[in-house]
Amino acid sequence: DSGVTQTPKHLITATGQRVTLRCSPRSGDLSVYWYQQSLDQGLQFLIQYYNGEERAKGNILERFSAQQFPDLHSELNLSSLELGDSALYFCASRQGTTNTGELFFGEGSRLTVL
Amino acid sequence: GQQVMQIPQYQHVQEGEDFTTYCNSSTTLSNIQWYKQRPGGHPVFLIQLVKSGEVKKQKRLTFQFGEAKKNSSLHITATQTTDVGTYFCAGRNSGYALNFGKGTSLLVTP
């Protein structure tokens, strides 16, 4: 158990819909990272937050947005869903303020868009 | 932007054989990390390399960071069935983003 909690574990929805994925980082961790994992693309970095502020942005689509709340949990919002958005979405957290140190991953949220 | 490439994509070995996966970055990295993801699981941190030319060992696993800090390798000696999974390298340049390679999936048959 990494200490990172993601909900829901599985989600099935239709094209055009909107979903919210939630992540609770490890106790004390200020940084939250979101990754998308699909079969052929490995782990794609989406976005990172540190203590409520956006720190880095990767290949995140405009239809996707995220935020980190004062209690440090984070949410990833996916809208106007397309079939290609079906993937495993991982949240990871890290404690420090520097750009080093291991990431602790949650078990992921598997999104299926039909 | 920074890209991290990994080869091979797949590797199938007999138990007891050695295995190596290679990671190359288009830019100089401040550090590189390695993760293992078991089938159906989530990535789990293995190690971080920071210094140019650094070599670290964990039992049968040997990790190297290139002199130019643009490449890295993971070598497993005498693979076991418990080594099955996907091995990812992840590189960070001067920024905060940690970019993963596509991973090398290792299958070990007894």
Side-chain angles (χ1 to χ4, degrees):
Chain A
D1 182 10
S2 66
V4 178
T5 304
Q6 288 188 248
T7 58
K9 292 193 186 319
H10 301 277
L11 188 56
I12 301 174
T13 189
T15 55
Q17 295 299 306
R18 171 190 168 95
V19 298
T20 297
L21 309 180
R22 181 187 169 101
C23 170
S24 293
R26 292 189 321 154
S27 177
D29 284 0
L30 302 177
S31 283
V32 169
Y33 295 71
W34 285 98
Y35 288 88
Q36 180 193 57
Q37 185 173 41
S38 49
L39 280 176
D40 297 328
Q41 296 300 318
L43 282 161
Q44 292 283 317
F45 170 67
L46 296 178
I47 199 163
Q48 181 216 349
Y49 283 85
Y50 174 77
N51 203 20
E53 294 187 2
E54 182 184 305
R55 268 286 170 90
K57 187 176 277 192
N59 298 321
I60 187 167
L61 300 172
E62 286 191 9
R63 299 184 286 108
F64 296 1
S65 65
Q67 55 183 325
Q68 186 180 26
F69 295 86
D71 67 352
L72 301 178
H73 91 272
S74 179
E75 293 181 356
L76 178 66
N77 300 296
L78 316 174
S79 62
S80 302
L81 286 168
E82 301 175 359
L83 295 177
D85 297 328
S86 295
L88 189 54
Y89 291 84
F90 282 109
C91 166
S93 73
R94 183 173 62 81
Q95 183 182 43
T97 60
T98 62
N99 62 350
T100 185
E102 69 179 281
L103 298 187
F104 294 86
F105 281 80
E107 295 186 0
S109 293
R110 183 170 294 282
L111 173 65
T112 302
V113 182
L114 301 176
Chain B
Q2 175 197 329
Q3 290 192 3
V4 179
M5 311 297 291
Q6 245 183 294
I7 56 169
Q9 189 175 0
Y10 302 98
Q11 186 81 55
H12 183 185
V13 301
Q14 294 289 319
E15 190 172 23
E17 293 182 339
D18 292 356
F19 160 77
T20 304
T21 173
Y22 300 90
C23 181
N24 290 285
S25 170
S26 56
T27 60
T28 301
L29 301 171
S30 60
N31 59 67
I32 195 160
Q33 298 179 357
W34 286 90
Y35 291 78
K36 177 183 179 181
Q37 184 177 21
R38 295 183 185 276
H42 58 274
V44 175
F45 175 82
L46 293 176
I47 208 160
Q48 175 173 280
L49 304 172
V50 178
K51 299 178 181 177
S52 169
E54 189 170 13
V55 178
K56 286 189 176 181
K57 292 189 176 184
Q58 288 180 350
K59 298 183 180 179
R60 295 179 294 104
L61 278 62
T62 301
F63 303 84
Q64 293 188 323
F65 200 9
E67 293 291 340
K69 300 183 74 174
K70 297 178 81 170
N71 59 78
S72 181
S73 65
L74 158 60
H75 179 81
I76 302 178
T77 303
T79 54
Q80 300 175 358
T81 54
T82 53
D83 296 325
V84 165
T86 300
Y87 292 85
F88 292 96
C89 63
R92 195 190 306 271
N93 52 24
S94 59
Y96 291 96
L98 186 62
N99 293 295
F100 281 72
K102 291 189 178 183
T104 297
S105 293
L106 173 63
L107 178 61
V108 180
T109 51

